């Protein structure tokens, strides 16, 4: 099976454990970048170290978690090569892969979702990138890194 990298700040410790348990039952190799306690850390630090590890290669995709998923996804999207989608339901999970070919997905440990996060991750994993006009748009996203 594939390899997935995951990290959280102190706001999503138990969600991270839940996701890791789920991924292991699906036989994924999981690289857990921390954190491992509820001692406060700064989510941008977790995003940077995790995205840099991802960029070394060998990972199918990454999962980033903070209290809301917002701060850590904003940070990740400032790192060259990263397309991090903030997911909130099964539809956005599907579209993040089909239309955006996201290489990271983000969730919040303090958010009340209408479906379990593990189901949203499963939906992302089973969806294929649609290519075609969506490839053109994704290429434009990546070209923006060179323009701004
Ligand atoms: C940390 O208190 C909190 O701000 C963080 O987990 C996240 O929600 C930021 O977007």
């Amino acid at each position: 099976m594939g390899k997935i990298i995951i990290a959280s700040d102190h706001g999503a410790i138990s969600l991270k454990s839940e996701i890791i348990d789920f991924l292991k039952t699906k036989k994924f190799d999981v690289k857990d970048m921390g954190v491992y306690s509820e001692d406060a850390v700064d989510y941008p630090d977790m995003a940077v170290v995790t995205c840099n590890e991802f960029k070394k290669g060998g990972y199918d995709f990454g999962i980033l978690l903070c209290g809301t998923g917002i701060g850590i996804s904003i940070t990740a999207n400032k790192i060259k090569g990263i397309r991090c989608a903030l997911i909130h339901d099964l539809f956005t999970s599907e579209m993040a892969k089909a239309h955006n070919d996201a290489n990271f997905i983000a969730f919040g440990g303090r958010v009340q979702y209408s479906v379990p996060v593990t189901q949203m991750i499963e939906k992302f994993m089973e969806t294929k990138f649609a290519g075609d006009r969506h490839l053109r748009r994704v290429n434009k996203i990546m070209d923006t890194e060179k323009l701004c």
Side-chain angles (χ1 to χ4, degrees):
M1 274 305 236
K3 190 170 179 185
I4 296 171
I5 190 166
I6 187 166
S8 74
D9 77 353
H10 54 284
I13 296 290
S14 65
L15 177 60
K16 178 161 70 66
S17 297
E18 187 189 321
I19 292 170
I20 290 171
D21 289 348
F22 165 75
L23 293 173
K24 287 187 172 168
T25 65
K26 295 280 178 185
K27 309 289 183 215
F28 280 95
D29 188 3
V30 182
K31 173 86 168 176
D32 179 2
M33 300 292 287
V35 292
Y36 311 106
S37 84
E38 292 186 357
D39 295 343
V41 295
D42 294 336
Y43 56 81
D45 298 334
M46 300 311 298
V48 169
V49 74
T50 306
C51 291
N52 282 337
E53 172 61 27
F54 173 84
K55 286 169 67 173
K56 291 179 185 169
Y59 297 97
D60 293 4
F61 66 97
I63 301 172
L64 291 172
L65 311 169
C66 64
T68 58
I70 297 171
I72 205 158
S73 59
I74 290 173
T75 312
N77 281 314
K78 294 189 177 294
I79 298 168
K80 281 196 166 63
I82 303 302
R83 292 183 302 283
C84 181
L86 180 58
I87 305 299
H88 54 87
D89 57 16
L90 291 174
F91 176 70
T92 51
S93 193
E94 184 179 355
M95 291 300 106
K97 176 66 78 58
H99 287 189
N100 310 115
D101 198 23
N103 49 19
F104 271 85
I105 50 178
F107 300 94
R110 297 172 181 157
V111 177
Q112 297 289 317
Y113 294 108
S114 56
V115 287
V117 168
T118 50
Q119 274 185 38
M120 295 188 256
I121 293 171
E122 197 157 35
K123 174 64 81 177
F124 180 80
M125 292 191 301
E126 72 191 23
T127 303
K128 300 270 180 285
F129 178 48
D132 194 42
R133 67 187 183 280
H134 302 293
L135 176 60
R136 183 181 70 242
R137 293 162 185 165
V138 168
N139 285 338
K140 285 190 178 186
I141 294 175
M142 303 325 286
D143 285 347
T144 310
E145 291 178 344
K146 300 172 204 149
L147 300 173
C148 306

Coordinates of all heavy atoms in Angstrom, one line a residue, residues 9-10 43 66-68 70-71 110, ligand 1:
D9 N -1.1 20.2 15.1 CA -0.7 21.0 16.3 C -1.4 20.4 17.5 O -2.0 19.4 17.4 CB -0.9 22.5 16.1 CG -2.4 23.0 16.2 OD1 -3.3 22.1 16.4 OD2 -2.6 24.2 16.2
H10 N -1.4 21.1 18.6 CA -2.0 20.7 19.9 C -3.5 20.6 19.8 O -4.1 20.0 20.7 CB -1.5 21.5 21.0 CG -1.8 23.0 20.8 ND1 -1.1 23.7 19.9 CD2 -2.8 23.8 21.3 CE1 -1.5 25.0 19.9 NE2 -2.6 25.0 20.7
Y43 N 1.2 26.2 14.7 CA 0.9 25.3 13.5 C 1.7 25.6 12.3 O 2.0 24.7 11.5 CB -0.6 25.4 13.2 CG -1.2 26.8 13.0 CD1 -1.0 27.5 11.8 CD2 -1.8 27.5 14.0 CE1 -1.4 28.8 11.6 CE2 -2.2 28.8 13.9 CZ -2.1 29.4 12.6 OH -2.5 30.7 12.5
C66 N -5.1 21.1 12.6 CA -4.9 22.0 13.7 C -6.3 22.2 14.3 O -7.2 21.4 14.0 CB -4.3 23.4 13.3 SG -5.2 24.4 12.1
G67 N -6.6 23.2 15.1 CA -7.9 23.3 15.7 C -9.0 23.4 14.7 O -10.0 22.8 14.8
T68 N -8.8 24.2 13.7 CA -9.8 24.4 12.6 C -9.4 23.8 11.3 O -10.2 23.7 10.4 CB -10.0 25.9 12.4 OG1 -8.7 26.5 12.1 CG2 -10.5 26.6 13.7
I70 N -7.6 25.6 9.4 CA -7.4 26.8 8.6 C -6.0 27.3 8.6 O -5.4 27.4 7.5 CB -8.4 27.9 9.1 CG1 -9.8 27.5 8.9 CG2 -8.1 29.2 8.3 CD1 -10.8 28.5 9.6
G71 N -5.4 27.5 9.8 CA -4.1 28.1 9.8 C -3.0 27.2 9.2 O -2.2 27.6 8.5
R110 N -11.1 20.6 16.3 CA -12.2 21.3 17.1 C -13.4 21.6 16.3 O -14.3 22.3 16.8 CB -11.6 22.6 17.8 CG -10.4 22.3 18.7 CD -9.8 23.6 19.1 NE -8.6 23.3 20.0 CZ -7.6 24.2 20.2 NH1 -7.6 25.4 19.6 NH2 -6.6 23.9 21.0
Ligands
LIG1 C1 -4.4 27.0 18.1 O1 -4.9 27.6 19.3 C2 -5.3 27.3 16.9 O2 -5.3 28.6 16.6 C3 -4.9 26.4 15.8 O3 -5.0 25.1 16.1 C4 -5.7 26.6 14.5 O4 -7.1 26.5 14.8 C5 -5.4 27.7 13.7 O5 -5.9 27.9 12.6

